[in-house]
Amino acid sequence: MASSVEHRTINVNGINIHVAIKGPENAPVILFIHGFPQLWYSWRHQIEALSSLGYRAVAPDLRGYGDTDAPAEVTSYTVLHVVGDLIGLLDVVAPNQESVFVVGHDWGALMAWHLALFRPDRVKALVNLSVLFNPRNPSRKVIATLKAVYGDDYYINRFQEPGEIEADFAEIGTEKVLQEFLTYRTPAPLFLPKGQGFNGKPLDTPVVLPSWLSEEDVKYYTSKFEQKGFTGGLNYYRNLDRNWELTAPWTGAQIKVPVKFIVGDQDLTYNSLGAKDYIAKGGLKRDVPFLQDIVVMEGVGHFINEEKPEEIKMKNSSLCIRMLKACMLVWGFDYLNGMFLW
């Protein structure tokens, strides 16, 4: 499949962005936004399936990742920078489309939420995976809150000091770090104690790859992260407090585009930070009033779009996609009525 994908480098917002594209040139665009520690490649299954349906799949490497530029300054990785990148990219790849479908996962979901918050006119419908909308709390900064709740060894807190976690990752090795992240499926917060492995495991604990993650997949990710390093992706975490400051004008604002949210019940994000209560008590529906559906997939971990690609099935004769429990639900949106069809 990779050989049939068009790879382009597009200069927008002051940087060169690598983007993978497949599908008819004038077809409706679906923008796929990846998370950490991933790349455009995490959407390889969905790119193939949805482009076969006649959509134009567009999946960039975000700034700091893969074959996209990685600005040196930590402060160059705020939500405003990344949403600016995405708007500039859409202006080039979909110049005649007022709005597009958007699908995000992990940090890509967070950026998709902000894309919909800042520029709802550019988002036809949104499918977000794993990471909930996190409305700004004007009385609490993010990192201080996370340290108070989870302590210094919580992974996001360990990421804050530039260079520190990079040195730990260098000791562990790029491939092993990626294997640990991509196979993590403990339904609880992740801790990275210094000098130890994930959640305090010995550093030499072997990692067994699941059936959905091949050695070839790991080698592709490893080649790109050895080339670029982890710093770009980690800088997103280092801007959480800066994002809190910059987004003050949107305090109390709602996401006002049609949304579906999908998460695995083994996902660490679903099992921490009050996510279940936020959903169950109506917080997500309050903050995302056009929320169409919430899908909780049983027995599925964080990297849901890679773990469950088999849920996407094609019918060759009708080019119809079946997504009964799938991660990618974009085809089910009714243009006329602004509703998902199932």
Side-chain angles (χ1 to χ4, degrees), residues 1 5-10 17-23 29-35 38-48 56-63 65 67-68 86 89-90 93 101 103 220 305 328:
M1 187 273 287
V5 173
E6 176 190 1
H7 293 270
R8 296 174 58 186
T9 299
I10 299 173
I17 294 180
H18 164 254
V19 58
I21 303 173
K22 187 172 184 181
V29 164
I30 305 173
L31 175 65
F32 293 97
I33 314 175
H34 70 80
Q38 294 178 294
L39 304 162
W40 76 268
Y41 185 80
S42 68
W43 301 109
R44 59 198 179 278
H45 306 294
Q46 290 77 28
I47 290 171
E48 179 69 13
R56 186 164 174 81
V58 174
D61 286 334
L62 295 180
R63 63 168 55 206
Y65 287 90
D67 294 320
T68 291
L86 297 173
L89 180 64
L90 291 177
V93 302
F101 294 114
V103 184
Y220 182 84
N305 51 326
M328 299 299 95

Side-chain angles (χ1 to χ4, degrees), residues 83-337:
V83 171
D85 295 345
L86 297 173
I87 291 295
L89 180 64
L90 291 177
D91 287 343
V92 174
V93 302
N96 300 317
Q97 296 186 37
E98 182 177 331
S99 60
V100 303
F101 294 114
V102 179
V103 184
H105 172 255
D106 187 76
W107 266 100
L110 192 148
M111 293 304 167
W113 289 123
H114 283 87
L115 175 61
L117 184 66
F118 300 157
R119 294 297 305 272
D121 59 306
R122 302 302 296 269
V123 180
K124 189 182 299 296
L126 171 61
V127 177
N128 259 347
L129 313 180
S130 297
V131 173
L132 288 159
F133 178 58
N134 186 22
R136 183 181 185 273
N137 185 329
S139 63
R140 289 201 311 246
K141 280 195 170 184
V142 179
I143 299 304
T145 300
L146 293 177
K147 287 187 176 182
V149 174
Y150 292 124
D152 291 339
D153 286 342
Y154 183 57
Y155 77 106
I156 292 176
N157 298 333
R158 287 277 283 120
F159 289 174
Q160 293 306 304
E161 184 61 33
E164 183 175 299
I165 197 69
E166 287 95 328
D168 290 353
F169 286 172
E171 180 180 347
I172 297 170
T174 300
E175 183 171 349
K176 180 68 177 297
V177 169
L178 290 166
Q179 289 175 336
E180 290 280 9
F181 273 118
L182 294 172
T183 62
Y184 187 84
R185 58 184 299 110
T186 301
L190 170 62
F191 296 92
L192 298 175
K194 189 168 180 60
Q196 302 177 47
F198 283 44
N199 282 339
K201 294 187 302 183
L203 288 173
D204 59 356
T205 303
V207 176
V208 178
L209 298 184
S211 60
W212 55 266
L213 185 67
S214 70
E215 291 285 353
E216 182 182 2
D217 297 332
V218 173
K219 289 186 184 302
Y220 182 84
Y221 281 122
T222 300
S223 68
K224 295 301 181 181
F225 279 93
E226 285 184 341
Q227 168 192 322
K228 187 73 73 177
F230 288 99
T231 297
L234 294 167
N235 283 342
Y236 288 64
Y237 295 91
R238 292 166 183 158
N239 279 282
L240 284 168
D241 278 347
R242 188 169 288 106
N243 290 336
W244 179 86
E245 296 171 1
L246 292 172
T247 57
W250 289 273
T251 301
Q254 296 174 310
I255 302 293
K256 292 189 175 180
V257 302
V259 171
K260 269 200 169 185
F261 179 72
I262 313 169
V263 66
D265 67 355
Q266 300 301 298
D267 193 326
L268 76 165
T269 66
Y270 185 60
N271 292 278
S272 60
L273 298 173
K276 291 180 180 178
D277 279 349
Y278 178 57
I279 293 172
K281 295 179 179 179
L284 184 60
K285 182 62 177 177
R286 177 196 65 224
D287 298 325
V288 186
F290 300 146
L291 179 69
Q292 306 284 314
D293 197 11
I294 299 169
V295 178
V296 180
M297 298 182 70
E298 294 184 5
V300 181
H302 180 66
F303 297 97
I304 189 168
N305 51 326
E306 295 200 71
E307 183 176 346
K308 288 295 178 181
E310 72 276 8
E311 301 288 339
I312 300 176
K313 300 182 183 295
M314 302 293 296
K315 289 185 176 180
N316 293 332
S317 61
S318 62
L319 291 179
C320 177
I321 194 164
R322 296 182 65 191
M323 299 186 177
L324 298 178
K325 293 180 180 178
C327 303
M328 299 299 95
L329 313 174
V330 180
W331 76 280
F333 183 79
D334 182 341
Y335 277 89
L336 296 178
N337 298 315

